[in-house]
Amino acid sequence: MAKVAIIGATGNVGRYTALAVSYIPYVSELLLFGRPGREEVLHGLAYDLQDSFAARGSQTDVKFSSTPKDLEGSDIIIVTSGVPRKEGQDRIDLAHENARMISEFAAMVGWYAPDAILFIVSNPVDVMTAVALKYSGMKPGQVIGLGTHLDSMRLKWNLSRFFDVHVSEVHTRIIGEHGDSMVPLWSATTIGGISIQNLPEFENLPEDRIMDNVMNAGSAIISRIGATVYGPGDAIATIVRTILGNEKRVLTVSTFISSEIHNIGDVCIGTPALLDKNGAKPLAINISEHEVDEFRKSVEKVRGITQEVIERLDEGC
Ligand SMILES: NC(=O)c1ccc[n+]([C@@H]2O[C@H](COP(=O)([O-])OP(=O)(O)OC[C@H]3O[C@@H](n4cnc5c(N)ncnc54)[C@H](O)[C@@H]3O)[C@@H](O)[C@H]2O)c1
Ligand SMILES: O=C(O)C[C@H](O)C(=O)O
């Protein structure tokens, strides 16, 4: 049985993530963690979750804390703390502001729970995953970000509607930045196990319109309700369940790649990775020439911003 901690549990994503994660059968303890001064809110949230557990007959223990030592013994620590973007902002605009708090939380996790899996959600998630990797001192496979898993799910949904098939019949993935330079892998997309390019409907597929929907999903939700909540929370819970259950599924998370995809790497970015109880192992894959070019651009963008953010942090700015 496992202990899962959520740093940033009082936020929009943190709250729903707590509920979604509590449905995973391997979770015996849920720790809601926040900064000092947030104890009353954390306490209220713990009470409310307890009521939910009572209502559904769950034995999961829910605790709250702002004391770093309480992170000890966690199997997974999810970080959802950070400033979210507002309408009109890009996720990248949050980089410098969120990097400082992520570096501090990562150092705390590296100290108190060095064997845990550290799972970053805060945006820009690829850059924050690299910051967390550096400042936690943990091994690359132990530090993951939500990456393009949610984007891949958004594409899956759009394709299931276009082909009019059950969503579980669609296998697809998006790699690269969780942002404007994301790359859909049409070469790795199948419907009912058949390559999408071999289906007659493929020639009418409105690729640009679908990718527009996927890329703008976050801002379309934020402009209407202020935050994305259920999509990220359930995407996070899938990844947590995969890791705790040692399920060895291949999901597209942000993780450090050295040269796995066509010799491109030295960055934390969304890439297909095998997930088990030890964390993420990026897969070496071959993709089409066009996809390689687009992925290289995405990597260069994310690597550049990551370097700038880490330099500023190292200078203490
Ligand atoms: N990767 C993804 O797909 C994805 C999806 C949704 C949200 N996010 C990101 O997750 C983060 C949280 O989003 P949200 O909608 O829950 O925001 P929110 O404002 O509702 O919650 C923010 C949380 O961070 C904490 N926090 C804020 N400033 C802090 C500081 N200086 N020190 C410590 N903790 C601090 C708050 O107390 C709160 O718990 C944002 O960065 C958002 O962009 C990422
Ligand atoms: O779009 C955002 O800023 C939130 C998140 O990254 C998302 O894609 O839902």
Side-chain angles (χ1 to χ4, degrees):
M1 293 306 270
K3 170 173 172 178
V4 177
I6 302 174
I7 302 182
T10 61
N12 280 308
V13 181
R15 277 175 197 222
Y16 179 68
T17 297
L19 182 71
V21 162
S22 76
Y23 280 94
I24 300 171
Y26 319 112
V27 177
S28 53
E29 184 182 334
L30 195 55
L31 175 68
L32 311 175
F33 193 89
R35 54 195 152 148
R38 301 289 286 165
E39 291 83 358
E40 276 304 296
V41 185
L42 290 163
H43 196 170
L45 192 57
Y47 263 149
D48 198 20
L49 279 168
Q50 245 167 38
D51 288 352
S52 160
F53 299 170
R56 60 184 143 110
S58 162
Q59 283 285 78
T60 307
D61 248 351
V62 55
K63 297 184 176 150
F64 69 94
S65 173
S66 58
T67 306
K69 199 173 182 327
D70 290 335
L71 293 170
E72 280 178 359
S74 301
D75 295 281
I76 297 192
I77 298 177
I78 305 164
V79 182
T80 59
S81 55
V83 180
R85 65 178 166 149
K86 296 187 187 67
E87 201 176 344
Q89 274 190 312
D90 192 283
R91 298 178 185 95
I92 296 294
D93 297 335
L94 312 169
H96 291 290
E97 196 171 354
N98 283 342
R100 167 81 39 213
M101 79 180 88
I102 297 302
S103 68
E104 287 166 5
F105 284 134
M108 190 190 286
V109 171
W111 183 261
Y112 287 100
D115 298 325
I117 303 297
L118 176 53
F119 182 0
I120 305 297
V121 177
S122 325
N123 272 320
V125 70
D126 303 296
V127 179
M128 295 305 115
T129 304
V131 167
L133 176 60
K134 173 163 183 183
Y135 287 88
S136 65
M138 292 158 83
K139 292 197 273 297
Q142 269 181 285
V143 182
I144 60 169
L146 186 53
T148 40
H149 176 59
L150 177 57
D151 306 297
S152 301
M153 295 305 104
R154 288 170 172 158
L155 177 56
K156 191 176 163 103
W157 177 264
N158 275 270
L159 290 175
S160 81
R161 273 16 197 186
F162 177 79
F163 285 96
D164 194 19
V165 293
H166 194 281
V167 72
S168 65
E169 291 299 322
V170 182
H171 278 90
T172 190
R173 51 188 84 239
I174 291 180
I175 60 171
E177 179 200 12
H178 174 54
D180 294 346
S181 69
M182 66 177 72
V183 184
L185 290 189
W186 300 115
S187 65
T189 302
T190 61
I191 308 285
I194 296 156
S195 168
I196 195 173
Q197 277 126 348
N198 292 336
L199 293 167
E201 296 96 322
F202 181 67
E203 63 186 52
N204 299 321
L205 183 73
E207 288 176 37
D208 292 346
R209 186 172 57 73
I210 287 183
M211 279 314 294
D212 240 41
N213 286 347
V214 171
M215 268 189 216
N216 296 318
S219 46
I221 297 165
I222 290 169
S223 68
R224 288 171 174 85
I225 56 170
T228 64
V229 177
Y230 304 128
D234 283 326
I236 293 164
T238 302
I239 292 171
V240 171
R241 194 191 58 225
T242 303
I243 292 172
L244 294 180
N246 199 25
E247 288 177 8
K248 297 184 193 278
R249 288 186 67 194
V250 176
L251 300 175
T252 324
V253 295
S254 192
T255 188
F256 181 78
I257 52 166
S258 47
S259 58
E260 286 79 357
I261 303 185
H262 292 260
N263 272 326
I264 305 168
D266 192 23
V267 72
C268 286
I269 203 154
T271 188
L274 185 80
L275 293 179
D276 64 17
K277 64 180 173 26
N278 300 313
K281 193 160 164 262
L283 298 188
I285 55 166
N286 283 324
I287 53 179
S288 77
E289 220 171 289
H290 174 70
E291 291 162 350
V292 173
D293 289 345
E294 295 302 302
F295 183 60
R296 187 171 282 114
K297 284 187 216 151
S298 190
V299 163
E300 278 163 11
K301 175 182 174 189
V302 171
R303 197 197 287 125
I305 299 163
T306 303
Q307 279 165 354
E308 197 188 296
V309 164
I310 289 185
E311 268 164 33
R312 288 257 295 260
L313 279 175
D314 285 347
E315 285 163 8
C317 308

